[in-house]
Every structure is written in structure tokens, then in C-alpha cells.
Amino acid sequence: MWVKRKRGWEIPERESTPEAVFHNRRALLKAMGAMAAAGGAGALAAAAPAFADADPSAGLYPAKRDPKYTLDRLVTPQKLSTTYNNFYEFTTNKDVYEYSDALKIRPWTISIDGMVEKPFTLGIDDLLKKVMLEERLYRHRCVETWSMAVPWTGFPLKTLVDMAKPLSGAKYIKMVTFMDPKMASGQRAFFYPWPYIEGMTMFEANNDLAFLVTGMYGKPVPKQDGAPLRLALPWKYGFKSIKSIVKFSFTDRQPVSFWTALQSNEYGFWANVNPAVPHPRWSQATERELGEDTRRPTLIWNGYGEYVATMYDGIKGEQLFR
Ligand code: MTE
């Protein structure tokens, strides 16, 4: 008899959060309330778990904040956003930081290939020398209905697109996470379509908001959050923001992502945030900010409509919000 087994990705966040974690978070937040209100990276970093201190890029942080990107809420304390994560390569639980030390982040080579003038590879530290880092405050909304607000450091994805010199026929970018089951025990689970893949249109990649992240809270991004290079697409559900990227392929075919390959009726290509379009198994109307007790209404496009909504005007007959 076939029994439907609920796996991690099938459980809404409110059901998947262990009580103990929830209560710890409340206690912690009480203690940190004043610090969070200050909003500065330095203040928030004070009580947080270890960061990659040995990271050779540490001297590049903190970068200047871009004042254009503001929040309607407090920055999430670093202790919360770095101890409640999704990174299935290491575990399907939220305590990724307990396992992610195994991630080896140097040397780290990034390949640019597919429909580009000339494919090339470059190391993360060479890439960091070629870009101008800035800090941006972004909201981040997981499809599981938890959310956070983070000071990311990085550079616009369009800087990398320009470096890649895509051919005119390239319509999409497919991004790929490392594949190393010896290092990342989660990748030994055969029922997942490893490696983690995500994709977006060239139009989206060139949008001002599309941001490649190398740092967080004024330091190199910690391993559990996707070191040494991850994406932040704040108007989309968090699963589009792929971590620990090793490849950018330019293509004329819509990429099939990890989640779409796993469960296409639940996780689509566009995945733009919309409170009015429920996930097939739970509502998206509200969200719970990490550390908060009460839920707040979710904003369409996660509040970034002024930057992104018109990109989708001409798209008909597609599920833009799943
Ligand atoms: N990238 C990889 N490679 N593996 C993952 O499991 N999880 C995604 C996304 N990127 C994931 C990933 C999901 S579901 C979310 S919500 C965000 O990362 C979580 O980012 P955070 O842990 O930094 O909050």
C-alpha cells in the first residue's frame, strides 16, 4: 500500500517549528529587543553565533549601506536569522548551523557558461575584486510563511550578467549549487533531485533588486546562509534565493528548479509573493517574522511592487505566484 509520507518541504512552517526553538526564540528576542531597535549591523552582530572569521574576504566588510532600500520593520537579530535556516544539502531541519561547518568555502570556483560570448571560470576572491560591495536591507519571505529582514552585503546580479556578456538569444539564467555528497550529507538522500538549481529570466536578473550576496550583518555571509555566494530575490519566495552558487548558465530554455522537479504542482518557476494566492496546502495571507509572536499580513510582491510588478505585465496564462 502506498502511504503518503510527509517530508520536510511539505510541512508548513508553523507545523515544522519545534516548540523548543520557538520558545528559545521568544526569550532571546526579549533580551535583544533594544539591540534590534538600533538597526545597525555592529549592534546586531554583538550576540550572534560565530561567523567565518578566517574568511580571506573579511576585510571587505562592512560595506556602505545603500539608503534606497528601507524596511517597514526591524532588522531581524542576527542570532535568529543565522540559526533558523533552510539548506537541505546539510539537513531538512532548521538548525543548519550545527552541520554547515562542513562546507568548504575556499577554493571556490564559479563557472559562467552557456549562451555567452566566451565561457569562463573565476574564483570567489577574484570576483570580489571586480565588484563594488554595498549593504542593502531586504525583507525575505519563505514559502513556509516565516520571514525575516536582513542587512545583506553584495552586488547587483546585473554586474555579473554584464561580465558574462550573454548572447542576444539568452533568455534565462540557470544557477547551480555545489554538488559534493561527501561534504554535504543531505545530498546523499537519493529522492532529492540534486544539485539545487534555480532559474530566472534575463529581465528579472537585470532588475535593480536582484542581488548577489557575499555578506550579512557587515561580515562575510555565514555558511548556513549560503557562503560564499548566494542570491537574494526579495519579491519572490525564499526558495528562489539559491545558496552557495558554483555555476551561472545562460540559456534560451526555462530552467527546471530543484523544487519544481520535486513537486511541480506546488513550486513553480515564478514564485512571486502574493498573499491572495495560497500554496496548495496552506494560506500565504500572513507571515511570522522570526522572533515575533504575532503574524503580520503578507505584502504582494513582498512589498517590492514598485520595482518589479511591471516586469510581468505581458505574461499571460502562467502561474506567476507559485
Ligand atoms: N539553496 C540551496 N542550495 N539549498 C536550499 O535548501 N533553501 C531555500 C533557499 N536557498 C535552499 C537554498 C529556501 S527554501 C529558503 S527559504 C532560503 O534559501 C533560506 O535562506 P536562509 O536560510 O538564509 O534564510
Side-chain angles (χ1 to χ4, degrees):
M1 191 177 76
W2 185 77
V3 178
K4 188 169 183 337
R5 185 158 63 97
K6 269 203 172 184
R7 299 192 183 124
W9 71 88
E10 298 177 312
I11 302 169
E13 189 264 347
R14 65 184 174 279
E15 288 173 23
S16 67
T17 306
E19 276 295 286
V21 175
F22 181 70
H23 288 301
N24 284 346
R25 205 167 34 225
R26 289 175 64 179
L28 179 87
L29 194 77
K30 256 186 203 153
M32 297 185 78
M35 240 187 282
L44 286 157
F51 267 71
D53 286 334
D55 189 315
S57 68
L60 299 174
Y61 303 88
K64 197 166 176 288
R65 182 174 294 176
D66 186 336
K68 189 168 145 197
Y69 303 99
T70 54
L71 293 174
D72 58 346
R73 58 197 73 181
L74 297 177
V75 168
T76 303
Q78 178 182 313
K79 170 87 178 178
L80 298 184
S81 54
T82 57
T83 56
Y84 190 87
N85 298 98
N86 276 336
F87 203 169
Y88 274 47
E89 283 81 347
F90 294 97
T91 173
T92 54
N93 296 327
K94 302 296 189 226
D95 57 346
V96 179
Y97 70 100
E98 299 273 13
Y99 307 89
S100 55
D101 249 2
L103 175 61
K104 196 168 174 283
I105 54 168
R106 292 294 187 288
W108 192 272
T109 306
I110 298 144
S111 309
I112 316 276
D113 68 12
M115 300 175 76
V116 293
E117 272 182 23
K118 199 170 171 218
F120 62 94
T121 60
L122 83 172
I124 183 69
D125 295 303
D126 291 329
L127 175 61
L128 284 167
K129 278 183 205 141
K130 291 178 196 286
V131 298
M132 176 79 95
L133 293 180
E134 64 181 70
E135 184 178 75
R136 293 186 181 184
L137 300 178
Y138 273 1
R139 287 181 292 274
H140 172 78
R141 168 62 157 80
C142 180
V143 74
E144 296 165 339
T145 82
W146 54 269
S147 62
M148 59 185 193
V150 186
W152 299 119
T153 307
F155 58 94
L157 175 56
K158 70 167 174 277
T159 306
L160 185 126
V161 172
D162 291 346
M163 283 165 61
K165 302 199 176 79
L167 303 178
S168 58
K171 294 197 166 47
Y172 301 94
I173 309 181
K174 172 181 162 187
M175 290 150 291
V176 184
T177 296
F178 71 85
M179 181 66 193
D180 187 344
K182 275 200 190 118
M183 180 173 78
S185 58
Q187 291 186 327
R188 291 176 221 151
F190 64 90
F191 46 81
Y192 290 108
W194 304 112
Y196 199 98
I197 290 174
E198 259 310 335
M200 60 195 309
T201 63
M202 291 291 292
F203 209 43
E204 291 174 319
N206 282 308
N207 186 280
D208 276 349
L209 276 184
F211 199 54
L212 278 172
V213 168
T214 60
M216 197 178 177
Y217 297 89
K219 296 198 180 165
V221 66
K223 293 179 178 182
Q224 61 270 33
D225 285 280
L229 184 70
R230 71 167 289 170
L231 190 62
L233 301 178
W235 71 100
K236 291 181 180 282
Y237 291 115
F239 67 86
K240 298 295 293 182
S241 292
I242 181 172
K243 296 179 169 182
S244 303
I245 306 170
V246 293
K247 185 146 88 164
F248 296 83
S249 296
F250 291 76
T251 169
D252 55 2
R253 294 197 178 175
Q254 193 175 96
V256 178
S257 77
F258 176 87
W259 292 107
T260 306
L262 201 56
Q263 206 107 319
S264 61
N265 59 327
E266 300 195 348
Y267 306 102
F269 174 75
W270 298 100
N272 296 304
V273 175
N274 187 340
V277 179
H279 181 276
R281 287 178 288 114
W282 60 82
S283 165
Q284 294 291 15
T286 63
E287 67 199 52
R288 190 184 55 77
E289 196 76 7
L290 293 188
E292 283 182 8
D293 289 346
T294 50
R295 301 181 70 82
R296 61 170 77 220
T298 286
L299 306 168
I300 179 130
W301 312 105
N302 202 20
Y304 294 103
E306 64 176 299
Y307 296 96
V308 299
T310 55
M311 281 199 290
Y312 304 96
D313 280 351
I315 301 174
K316 300 270 177 283
E318 296 208 31
Q319 175 50 278
L320 289 174
F321 303 104
R322 186 172 293 165

